[in-house]
Amino acid sequence: MFCDYLLDGRYGWVTECEQRFAAIPSQVCHDFNTVAHLNDYEGRPGRRPFTYDELQHLFDFLDARVERIRRSGRKGAWTALRDAQMVKTCYAYGLRRRELCNLDVADLRPNPHMRQWGTFGAVHVRYGKAVRGGTPRRRTVLTVPEFDWVVDGLRQWVDEARPLLQPGTRDALWLTERGQRISVKSMDHRFAWLREQAGLDAELSLHCLRHSYVTHLIEFGYPERFVTEQVGHSYASTTAIYTSVSNDFKTKTLKAALARVYTTEKEQQ
């Protein structure tokens, strides 16, 4: 579009460029060398939310791995616990990979309406996806009651496991064995290995947990606007792309609709 503007004879840029630079601009974007975006979502079709059974299988595998290493007396129980808690936190708050890895302990916030959760009532995201040309966007993701199990895990990690590394003044929530913040690339590799060991579909990436979070909140009955705010989307249409409700949810919804409609008809007769 800029080249079209530059070449438009009404503005005189071609003549000006020829006089100043002894060269004239030309259009380089044509139908044959550009991609037409015809669909709202052009990602890999194999990417999808985890089913409830797959999530349960993954979490059971992660917990069993921690316990197995601990009982064997081998090194690695601390790392296994970190991996398990990172995966669970990613799902329980619908975080992007970069958002997850860049969390600090100070980003764990209380919710005044649920004091029993302590400082685990919300997660303050400081490295959200930026708009083009902007800085990372911030948001606060509230802990929802359906995922309150994440509170005990985070508390165990922060109060018991993380101090074993003697982090000192380091603020990163997720640390490596050398005391450094774990990188997005490292977490991708870790999750791919864990997924393979758990025997899950190779198409299921760490980001699919975010899709699962959106889908499951919708199935739990949360308003679309709330879900959009939780995951940091600018538009509800983006949230809709992430949503893929399960067959069980569709069946229950249809049964409720049938009961509502046909019960009303019978009452009228």
Side-chain angles (χ1 to χ4, degrees):
M1 291 178 67
F2 175 74
C3 288
D4 287 340
Y5 160 70
L6 199 62
L7 295 171
D8 195 312
R10 291 172 295 179
Y11 300 106
W13 291 118
V14 174
T15 302
E16 190 71 19
C17 288
E18 186 175 17
Q19 292 176 352
R20 288 174 176 263
F21 311 114
I24 60 174
S26 61
Q27 177 62 273
V28 295
C29 298
H30 304 279
D31 291 339
F32 66 84
N33 67 354
T34 56
V35 177
H37 295 279
L38 304 178
N39 301 312
D40 291 333
Y41 178 69
E42 297 180 351
R44 294 167 60 180
R47 296 287 173 84
R48 59 170 176 78
F50 285 75
T51 65
Y52 290 104
D53 288 341
E54 286 171 336
L55 279 173
Q56 189 62 57
H57 176 73
L58 176 61
F59 293 164
D60 288 345
F61 166 78
L62 294 173
D63 291 339
R65 177 170 174 260
V66 175
E67 187 63 21
R68 183 172 62 254
I69 295 175
R70 187 187 66 81
R71 287 182 176 179
S72 69
R74 295 184 291 109
K75 294 176 60 177
W78 182 91
T79 303
L81 179 63
R82 180 203 63 198
D83 293 343
Q85 195 53 50
M86 286 190 73
V87 171
K88 292 178 181 179
T89 301
C90 183
Y91 167 65
Y93 293 98
L95 302 177
R96 299 180 179 94
R97 299 169 302 160
R98 184 167 180 261
E99 296 171 350
L100 174 70
C101 293
N102 280 289
L103 286 178
D104 286 348
V105 176
D107 294 325
L108 303 175
R109 305 288 179 83
N111 184 336
H113 301 290
M114 289 296 292
R115 298 186 182 279
Q116 59 267 40
W117 287 346
T119 57
F120 308 101
V123 168
H124 183 60
V125 175
R126 294 178 293 112
Y127 289 89
K129 188 176 181 179
V131 295
R132 183 174 298 178
T135 58
R137 291 182 293 177
R138 299 188 178 208
R139 73 180 188 279
T140 297
V141 186
L142 301 175
T143 306
V144 296
E146 288 82 1
F147 301 147
D148 60 355
W149 43 263
V150 76
V151 172
D152 289 337
L154 282 173
R155 183 177 286 118
Q156 180 187 21
W157 172 255
V158 173
D159 296 343
E160 301 175 22
R162 185 177 177 275
L164 295 177
L165 201 61
Q166 299 180 345
T169 58
R170 286 166 290 192
D171 298 322
L173 180 60
W174 315 111
L175 297 169
T176 67
E177 296 85 341
R178 297 183 178 182
Q180 304 298 316
R181 184 187 300 274
I182 189 168
S183 67
V184 174
K185 185 177 181 179
S186 295
M187 190 57 201
D188 278 341
H189 290 321
R190 297 294 298 174
F191 183 80
W193 183 83
L194 292 168
R195 179 196 60 214
E196 181 181 356
Q197 294 298 307
L200 293 172
D201 189 341
E203 291 286 353
L204 294 172
S205 67
L206 189 63
H207 192 72
C208 289
L209 292 172
R210 179 172 163 86
H211 288 252
S212 306
Y213 177 79
V214 172
T215 297
H216 296 162
L217 284 190
I218 295 296
E219 291 186 358
F220 293 152
Y222 284 91
E224 188 174 285
R225 182 61 184 175
F226 175 83
V227 180
T228 300
E229 292 287 340
Q230 285 281 95
V231 295
H233 288 155
S234 299
Y235 305 102
S237 58
T238 308
T239 307
I241 294 173
Y242 275 60
T243 306
S244 177
V245 295
S246 66
N247 290 331
D248 288 342
F249 176 78
K250 293 177 182 177
T251 302
K252 291 178 183 178
T253 303
L254 179 59
K255 285 183 177 179
L258 291 172
R260 183 176 65 253
V261 173
Y262 288 107
T263 301
T264 302
E265 289 183 355
K266 290 179 179 180
E267 290 176 352
Q268 292 175 350
Q269 293 175 356

